[in-house]
Amino acid sequence: MKRLVLKSFGMRGFAIEVLSLFFILIFSYSLISITSSVAYAPFYIAEAGGGGELLYSSSSTLVYTGLVPSSLYTYLLNVTGGQGISPEVSVPILIDGKAVLARGIEVGRFVNCTDLKVIEGGLNLSNGGALVGERVADGFKLKVGDQFTALSAMSNRSLTFFVVGIISGSAVSDEVLISIDDARYLRGINDEMLSYIRVCSRSPEVMNAIGEIGNSSQEREGISVPSWLLSLASRFSVSSTLSGYSTRISKNIEEAERVTLIASLSVSVALSSILAFSLSGASISSSSSAIKALRDMGMRKRDVLKSVAVEKSIAFSSSLILSIASYLLMEKMGIIYAYVLEHRIPPSLSWIDAMIYTIAVFSIYIAISLRRAEVILNEI
């Protein structure tokens, strides 16, 4: 049956159809992947390759632009001894007029929660020292011992730093790491605030301490922790409750992510549908003589339509295999990525979204092809 169908409709036309569908699918998969990467970027940047969970302000649309009380960090230190906890202050800065994200850290705690590697120099951030990510160093031609001025993008303040080390890591390669006090100064906040707290430990003591935060409605050892100020987010999932405290992602982030993904899928499906409509029309029109020939050979109308459906299914399946293999190859080679705050965000294709898109486009393509073939058969 397969040979009869391919012979009837022509191998050349079949190859052109497979390649056309391939370009439609690979473009859409890449678009969905890049959109998902942008939606996930705030968490990717904040996590700095350390995974775990983030305690951040639910009032901010971005993880790294919000503020949480330092008293929360102090409370966690008292309860857990600081095991697997990293306090951080993020602030966009300008170096020679170009935006870069600076991250204020406590070196010892940060290193324990991050995949940071020192390429050159050391980790001493005292007296105006700065650790520069390798891609930032390459972009600004910076090396250990060099001096640069950072102008805050969130306050009318600036500081001069000396490069004490060149570092690499999933996110920190695109950042400048400075002391937490210097970051607070550039951000324009005092020592009572942090941007967020990373929790990379899953120990019972740490998780129990976080759970108690949700139930903290009164002062505990002189530390007031307002539960409404916080949201808790894991890398790919969101807990629904944590000791009675709702841990939903910031409403703004959640809505923005949903809208972005839906928009991406809609654009991909709409564009692919238009292309599929044109492609199926051209394909069926070029195969009209073959369709008529099958009908003249005595094949029933239903069988002719079945042959068309089989041929289109084979073409779509072939292009689907090629597009998935090509996407995985491009992902492995680092060809697909997104830029957010100069961070190179890796692709984040949701295969569930991809499956929904593929089924939608396949259904549209088959439906249009059968409709066009039926019109030709009715003209005979």
Side-chain angles (χ1 to χ4, degrees), residues 3-253:
R3 292 181 179 179
L4 174 62
V5 171
L6 295 180
K7 184 176 181 180
S8 300
F9 292 99
M11 287 299 298
R12 182 179 179 182
F14 176 80
I16 294 174
E17 188 170 3
V18 169
L19 288 176
S20 299
L21 285 169
F22 163 75
F23 285 115
I24 292 174
L25 292 174
I26 194 66
F27 169 79
S28 295
Y29 289 153
S30 300
L31 176 61
I32 295 172
S33 176
I34 292 174
T35 304
S36 299
S37 298
V38 173
Y40 175 61
F43 299 100
Y44 174 85
I45 293 173
E47 288 171 357
E53 293 165 338
L54 302 170
L55 290 170
Y56 66 97
S57 171
S58 60
S59 62
S60 175
T61 56
L62 296 174
V63 176
Y64 39 79
T65 57
L67 293 172
V68 298
S70 299
S71 57
L72 171 59
Y73 171 60
T74 305
Y75 168 69
L76 292 175
L77 279 181
N78 292 336
V79 175
T80 68
Q83 179 185 5
I85 301 173
S86 175
E88 298 173 21
V89 175
S90 295
V91 54
I93 59 173
L94 298 177
I95 303 176
D96 295 335
K98 189 174 182 180
V100 177
L101 186 68
R103 187 192 300 253
I105 63 170
E106 290 187 3
V107 176
R109 301 190 187 284
F110 183 80
V111 170
N112 290 333
C113 284
T114 312
D115 61 350
L116 179 150
K117 295 180 181 178
V118 179
I119 298 176
E120 184 182 353
L123 294 173
N124 183 15
L125 294 182
S126 61
N127 301 319
L131 299 173
V132 180
E134 59 176 339
R135 283 194 282 267
V136 176
D138 289 340
F140 291 99
K141 308 301 180 184
L142 294 172
K143 58 183 180 296
V144 174
D146 286 352
Q147 178 178 313
F148 67 91
T149 299
L151 176 64
S152 173
M154 300 183 74
S155 68
N156 188 24
R157 298 180 178 185
S158 63
L159 285 175
T160 298
F161 295 95
F162 291 89
V163 180
V164 297
I166 306 297
I167 57 174
S168 67
S170 56
V172 297
S173 291
D174 303 297
E175 298 178 358
V176 173
L177 304 185
I178 57 180
S179 72
I180 201 164
D181 289 333
D182 286 341
R184 281 183 172 126
Y185 174 80
L186 291 174
R187 179 75 185 269
I189 60 177
N190 56 34
D191 58 5
E192 295 180 355
M193 304 302 293
L194 297 166
S195 292
Y196 53 85
I197 301 169
R198 280 196 298 142
V199 181
C200 57
S201 172
R202 289 283 182 175
S203 70
E205 294 82 5
V206 173
M207 299 312 295
N208 289 337
I210 294 176
E212 289 182 8
I213 293 171
N215 296 325
S216 178
S217 58
Q218 57 186 356
E219 290 193 353
R220 185 187 304 272
E221 297 181 1
I223 299 170
S224 178
V225 184
S227 61
W228 56 266
L229 187 61
L230 307 174
S231 290
L232 179 64
S234 298
R235 179 162 185 164
F236 288 115
S237 63
V238 181
S239 303
S240 58
T241 60
L242 186 62
S243 298
Y245 167 58
S246 174
T247 61
R248 289 173 59 80
I249 289 180
S250 163
K251 182 179 180 181
N252 290 331
I253 295 179

Side-chain angles (χ1 to χ4, degrees), residues 266-278:
S266 300
V267 169
S268 297
V269 171
L271 181 59
S272 299
S273 298
I274 294 173
L275 295 175
F277 180 83
S278 301

